[in-house]
Amino acid sequence: GLHYSKFAKEEAIANLPLEVLRKLVYKRIDSRLGWIIVYSTPAITYAGLFAFFAFENIEKIGKFAPSEAYSLILLIGWEMNFVKRCLESAFLHIYSDTVPVFTVVLVAFGYSHVGLLSLFWSNQVEGYEISTDSDTFTKSIICIVGFCVGMSVNFYSHVRLRNIRAKNQSPVQEKKYYSLEELGCLFQAFICPHYVFEILHFLSWGFFGGTVAHYLSAGTVFFYLSLRTRSTYQWYKEKGLIHKADDIEAAPESVAQSDHSKIHPIASL
């Protein structure tokens, strides 16, 4: 897995080659602020470069992009995703711990790099039509629907996680652990539906883009979130959270006394 956030290993941090990296990993900031920075950075950088290309294109070819509808849909999809994540970070998620500065820098840079690389190549695409008589119409509709489904289920999963965690952290609720069974059938089927359906909407966005850069960008996100899903599944197993609710209630005392701030990965991506 990726050695940061709650999956960071102390020995891995201690063995980082540069002192500055170790300081970045150990230095922590408020999670809500950190994740807003993570998700606002790629939104702002993509919009900024899009505007730069638009002004340049208007002067050269008289329109803001070689394929205007195509470029506009990619812009809307990118901004919808990251504005949604900013709003979730600000108003939806419940955080139990701070976040390493290294995590903020790494993930913000990664998403921004993916977006800028894809935007550069989408600005080279000419003649992309989305009309009913075009060759790309069916692919475009499938990708747009896939994107919307992925966004919607991802949001529902975040709401479900928030509601369960809020209930378990209430003063009248003594229970500290919950099972995947309690989270519902989506979590039983996919373990991390918030990751799985984020992968879906990124893949849909990437296949709509259709350039090598978009495929590589979608593949990068797929690889990254797949690792996160695997790490989260292993963490669930270690905590015994893949068992039924009754089994969690009967968990050993050593498990019941574990750090409540690590009950589930909602503070991670």
Side-chain angles (χ1 to χ4, degrees), residues 42 58 97 123 130 136 187 253:
I58 288 172
D97 201 357
N123 193 58
I130 311 179
T136 57
F187 285 84
E253 185 69 18

Side-chain angles (χ1 to χ4, degrees), residues 168-185:
N168 284 8
Q169 288 187 340
S170 66
V172 298
Q173 175 63 266
E174 296 182 358
K175 181 180 175 184
K176 296 180 69 174
Y177 284 89
Y178 50 83
S179 67
L180 292 180
E181 180 184 50
E182 291 173 274
L183 286 170
C185 58

Side-chain angles (χ1 to χ4, degrees), residues 64-77:
F64 66 80
S67 299
E68 291 184 305
Y70 162 82
S71 295
L72 189 60
I73 289 174
L74 287 172
L75 170 69
I76 291 171

Side-chain angles (χ1 to χ4, degrees), residues 84-138:
K84 164 184 166 291
R85 299 308 302 273
C86 285
L87 293 174
E88 288 175 341
S89 298
F91 303 110
L92 180 65
H93 294 332
I94 296 175
Y95 298 103
S96 299
D97 201 357
T98 53
V99 62
V101 173
F102 180 70
T103 299
V104 173
V105 173
L106 178 67
V107 182
F109 173 81
Y111 276 133
S112 297
H113 179 74
V114 162
L116 296 183
L117 182 66
S118 301
L119 177 58
F120 175 81
W121 285 104
S122 67
N123 193 58
Q124 316 303 314
V125 174
E126 298 182 9
Y128 192 108
E129 299 289 340
I130 311 179
S131 59
T132 54
D133 57 349
S134 67
D135 295 336
T136 57
F137 179 75
T138 300

Side-chain angles (χ1 to χ4, degrees), residues 48-72:
L49 188 60
F50 184 93
F52 173 81
F53 281 141
F55 284 116
E56 191 176 66
N57 288 329
I58 288 172
E59 290 184 359
K60 290 181 178 178
I61 60 177
K63 51 185 181 179
F64 66 80
S67 299
E68 291 184 305
Y70 162 82
S71 295
L72 189 60

